[in-house]
Amino acid sequence: MKLFSDDLPFRKANFHCHTSCSDGQASPAESMELYRKAGYEILAITDHRSVTEPGSAPDGLLVLQGIEVDYLLPDQCIHLIGLGMSSEIGTRWNRSVPPQEAIDMILSLGGVAFLAHPAWSLNTPACISSFKGLCGVEIWNSVSSVPYNADRADSSAILDVTWSSGGPLLPVFANDDVHFYGTDLAVAATMVQADSLTRDAVLQALKDGRFYATLGPEIRQIEVTDTAISVSCSEADTIIFYSNMAWVRGRSRTGHGMTDSVYEIQPGDRFVRVEIRDAQGRKAWSAPIPVNGYRA
């Protein structure tokens, strides 16, 4: 089984972006132009607690309206991104609405929802696992690092614990969460296989899980059989197959200019995810793939 279509293009997207309509340091028009120049085809403006109407998008850039809603708990915070829903969410949501009801509301208004920066938010596996109806979770968040934050940009470790504990095997996003328009600009991308550059096609691709997360390397195809997982990619110095098992021999491959690798599925594996690292140390991440008949 191939996880990606051989016929559909991958489209470069940033699904988490703030403008001067909340606490970002660029206007919607400036933000759209910066991402267009950086080669992105899709941008979601997800200002805090309200839906920003961005105005006309530059040619070649699809702009989705979105929202980021937040909750502050005693030991962690919860930030949820809604994409593509009607602007009615901005008047219906408030902090008295529990997080699960906010997800349900986004879905009922025609959108999709994902969990933002769980490492930065100090989210526990129990918290992450409690949500129903998410289309994914951020494995990377560019602004959640120096010089703007402590270095919690990479959420892969807490997600591995969550998935190993029986949590839902959510596909993964890499987004900038751009605020300052410095080193948080155009670092991360979510590569989406959508058959057209339209809202409906992109939302359907997200619902179907046809995307991967990257800081630059390309995941070109992943094939899954009953016994093995193979990946083809752009040139990599490291290819790693992570799973719920703490020790597996031979799941980390190193070399120069590798463009493929194969992992033999182990009897104890419940999921496997692929991570690519290039010569500059930039990463790409696949979704966790259920194996051996596992259902989260």
Side-chain angles (χ1 to χ4, degrees), residues 2 11 68 80 149 191 207 209 237 241 251 256 292:
K2 293 183 178 181
R11 302 179 187 276
E68 182 170 14
L80 297 165
N149 276 289
M191 304 301 293
K207 292 175 184 177
D237 281 13
F241 297 88
R251 66 179 174 191
H256 181 66
N292 291 325

Side-chain angles (χ1 to χ4, degrees), residues 19 25 34 41 47 68 71 80 111 145 155 157 164 169 173 188 203 209 212 229 235 244 272 290 293 295:
T19 73
Q25 295 184 3
L34 286 167
E41 292 184 84
D47 283 317
E68 182 170 14
Y71 300 85
L80 297 165
S145 187
S155 291
S164 296
L169 300 179
F173 291 82
L203 292 189
Y212 69 90
I229 292 178
E235 290 191 354
N244 55 286
V272 177
R295 293 180 179 272

Side-chain angles (χ1 to χ4, degrees), residues 143-155:
V143 82
S144 296
S145 187
V146 292
Y148 312 111
N149 276 289
D151 192 4
R152 293 197 184 111
D154 190 336
S155 291

Side-chain angles (χ1 to χ4, degrees), residues 160 163-164 241-249 251 263-272 291-292:
D160 280 344
W163 297 326
S164 296
F241 297 88
Y242 288 85
S243 79
N244 55 286
M245 298 180 68
W247 163 248
V248 175
R249 184 184 298 276
R251 66 179 174 191
Y263 173 75
E264 294 183 7
I265 297 169
Q266 302 299 300
D269 286 334
R270 298 196 300 271
F271 74 87
V272 177
V291 296
N292 291 325

Side-chain angles (χ1 to χ4, degrees), residues 167-296:
L169 300 179
L170 295 171
V172 294
F173 291 82
N175 293 315
D176 287 333
D177 191 6
V178 60
H179 286 72
F180 302 97
Y181 290 82
T183 57
D184 57 341
L185 172 69
V187 174
T190 301
M191 304 301 293
V192 184
Q193 274 203 321
D195 55 13
S196 63
L197 199 59
T198 63
R199 169 196 171 276
D200 288 350
V202 171
L203 292 189
Q204 190 61 53
L206 297 183
K207 292 175 184 177
D208 293 343
R210 287 185 276 114
F211 59 95
Y212 69 90
T214 187
L215 304 181
E218 299 174 8
I219 297 177
R220 293 172 177 162
Q221 187 58 269
I222 296 175
E223 295 192 51
V224 184
T225 70
D226 290 341
T227 59
I229 292 178
S230 61
V231 60
S232 59
C233 58
S234 57
E235 290 191 354
D237 281 13
T238 307
I239 301 175
I240 306 172
F241 297 88
Y242 288 85
S243 79
N244 55 286
M245 298 180 68
W247 163 248
V248 175
R249 184 184 298 276
R251 66 179 174 191
S252 179
R253 318 290 166 81
T254 59
H256 181 66
M258 296 184 297
T259 57
D260 59 79
S261 190
V262 179
Y263 173 75
E264 294 183 7
I265 297 169
Q266 302 299 300
D269 286 334
R270 298 196 300 271
F271 74 87
V272 177
R273 68 173 179 87
V274 185
E275 184 175 296
I276 310 297
R277 299 180 188 174
D278 67 11
Q280 290 76 47
R282 300 178 303 172
K283 300 179 181 180
W285 303 263
S286 80
I289 304 160
V291 296
N292 291 325
Y294 178 68
R295 293 180 179 272

Side-chain angles (χ1 to χ4, degrees), residues 10 17 42 45 49 80 112 117 134 138 203 264 288:
F10 282 105
C17 167
I42 305 163
I45 294 179
R49 307 174 202 100
L80 297 165
V112 298
H117 45 64
L134 296 175
E138 281 183 345
L203 292 189
E264 294 183 7

